[in-house]
Amino acid sequence: MAPRKRVTIKDVAAATGLSPAAVSYALRGVQTRPETQRRVQQAAEELGYTGNAVARALARGRTGLVGVLSSSLQDLGEQRFVELLGRQLGRHDLHMVVVDARGEPKRERMLARQLADQLVDGLVISPLDPSDASWADIGEMLPVVTVGDALAGPTVGEVLFDNRAGVSLVLEHLYGLGHRHVAVLTPSRPSTPDRPAERVVAEVCDALGLEAFVVNSRHSVEEATEAAAALLARDPRPTAVFCLSDSIACGVYVAAAAQGLSIPEELSVAGYDNHPIASVVAPPLTSVDWGLPDVAASAGGLLAAAVSGRPRPASRAQVRVTPALVERASTAAPALAPA
């Protein structure tokens, strides 16, 4: 028995008297009149063109796909969050389309608009540049949940990190140990200097009387190692390094080892994600725990509620995440601590 011929978009075009491009537009519900969309959908169903995901999505009103826009998949903390989020979304019968901004705000904006144009039901974003005005347009196009920082635009939910508490926990810990000359390694780019965590660093250091300077570094261990090597070659060398990512902290470990510096005897290092690797490196890394499983559950639940067809609330739902400092062996008093 000969196998049944697979129905293609050209077959639907021939049945409706339209071009394949027009059929594609109609199936996606764009650039065509509603009656044309109904006619194309009916023809697709009669011909058995139901294998097309867009046709099925149009028939039921949603795709079951959620866009997840990662700030950088080189970041270990971001990798773990995406993994946990995928599990949570799966419980709501939603599946992820994951894209990577690679730490570039311009690419982040381009990817967000592409996802909005490609029939995803909603978007979860960990923004690189939360203050950018283009988020207002994205939020009008589809449900958006932001994780980390609040967006300059409409969202259906926010899972916000209390960066003032997180940064203060680390810097006060280092100050209490006796450190007065601290470096901060941040993944923020020079084009996005106003992210909340970075602003808080300057404010807390001023309040404590800490001398601190900020260095930009990407999340990859290789690039973080390069940035840390230049940092540790400075004179005077900082007695402690606070990394706004555990991935970057791993680069500091590599650079310190290459220069023969002992952690924490000659250099204290602290991270910001409490990724599982923090307890594996030697010595174990002092870091900030944000309860990522709960963060992923909140973000997944907020977006699932929005795409299920429930009416949007008058005000955006907001979840605030309180951090906890996990002290490990990577931080100690400097060799010449002040009295």
Side-chain angles (χ1 to χ4, degrees):
M1 189 176 185
R4 182 180 177 183
K5 181 184 176 183
R6 178 175 175 269
V7 178
T8 69
I9 197 169
K10 291 182 179 179
D11 298 316
V12 181
T16 56
L18 299 170
S19 68
V23 169
S24 176
Y25 287 137
L27 287 172
R28 288 187 286 134
V30 297
Q31 299 186 27
T32 51
R33 292 180 298 180
E35 54 267 29
T36 301
Q37 295 170 19
R38 288 192 293 269
R39 182 160 61 94
V40 170
Q41 183 183 346
Q42 181 179 353
E45 292 173 353
E46 291 174 353
L47 291 171
Y49 190 56
T50 55
N52 183 281
V54 174
R56 292 198 305 270
L58 187 60
R60 69 188 184 197
R62 66 186 186 95
T63 64
L65 297 176
V66 169
V68 178
L69 179 45
S70 169
S71 56
S72 173
L73 285 175
Q74 290 180 324
D75 181 15
L76 293 173
E78 188 74 3
Q79 291 175 21
R80 184 165 181 246
F81 169 69
V82 170
E83 174 203 355
L84 293 167
L85 179 63
R87 296 180 188 178
Q88 293 297 328
L89 291 172
R91 294 173 182 172
H92 299 283
D93 197 26
L94 295 170
H95 306 282
M96 297 188 299
V97 177
V98 181
V99 292
D100 183 8
R102 302 176 189 167
E104 301 170 11
K106 184 176 179 180
R107 176 179 169 83
E108 178 182 63
R109 293 190 291 272
M110 179 267 293
L111 289 172
R113 190 163 293 277
Q114 285 186 352
L115 285 170
D117 289 339
Q118 291 175 3
L119 284 183
V120 293
D121 294 330
L123 178 64
V124 178
I125 170 76
S126 301
L128 288 164
D129 187 4
S131 63
D132 188 84
S134 65
W135 293 119
D137 294 333
I138 301 297
E140 294 293 344
M141 296 171 70
L142 78 172
V144 174
V145 171
T146 180
V147 176
D149 298 323
L151 287 183
T155 65
V156 297
E158 299 175 335
V159 185
L160 304 180
F161 293 171
D162 187 346
N163 282 299
R164 179 168 297 280
V167 167
S168 297
L169 283 170
V170 175
L171 292 177
E172 289 173 1
H173 169 66
L174 294 174
Y175 183 87
L177 290 172
H179 295 278
R180 299 295 182 268
H181 185 50
V182 175
V184 179
L185 278 173
T186 171
S188 291
R189 311 309 300 153
S191 59
T192 57
D194 293 328
R195 292 191 66 187
E198 284 71 21
R199 291 204 308 267
V200 173
V201 165
E203 295 169 6
V204 174
C205 285
D206 286 344
L208 291 174
L210 272 175
E211 180 184 350
F213 57 95
V214 177
V215 176
N216 296 107
S217 170
R218 289 187 178 270
H219 284 101
S220 75
V221 174
E222 295 80 7
E223 290 175 278
T225 299
E226 184 178 341
L231 172 69
L232 298 179
R234 293 175 64 117
D235 185 20
R237 185 179 68 234
T239 62
V241 181
F242 173 25
C243 305
L244 290 174
S245 162
D246 285 5
S247 300
I248 295 175
C250 290
V252 176
Y253 272 54
V254 175
Q259 296 188 25
L261 297 175
S262 177
I263 300 174
E265 290 81 7
E266 296 174 281
L267 180 72
S268 286
V269 183
Y272 204 56
D273 304 318
N274 199 35
H275 185 275
I277 202 170
S279 60
V280 175
V281 293
L285 176 68
T286 293
S287 194
V288 177
D289 186 74
W290 295 96
L292 274 188
D294 292 336
V295 170
S298 296
L302 288 170
L303 195 62
V307 304
S308 66
R310 302 179 204 173
R312 292 195 187 188
S315 60
R316 67 184 75 181
Q318 191 176 91
V319 177
R320 288 198 169 270
V321 184
T322 302
L325 182 65
V326 182
E327 296 183 33
R328 297 191 179 96
S330 67
T331 51
L336 297 175

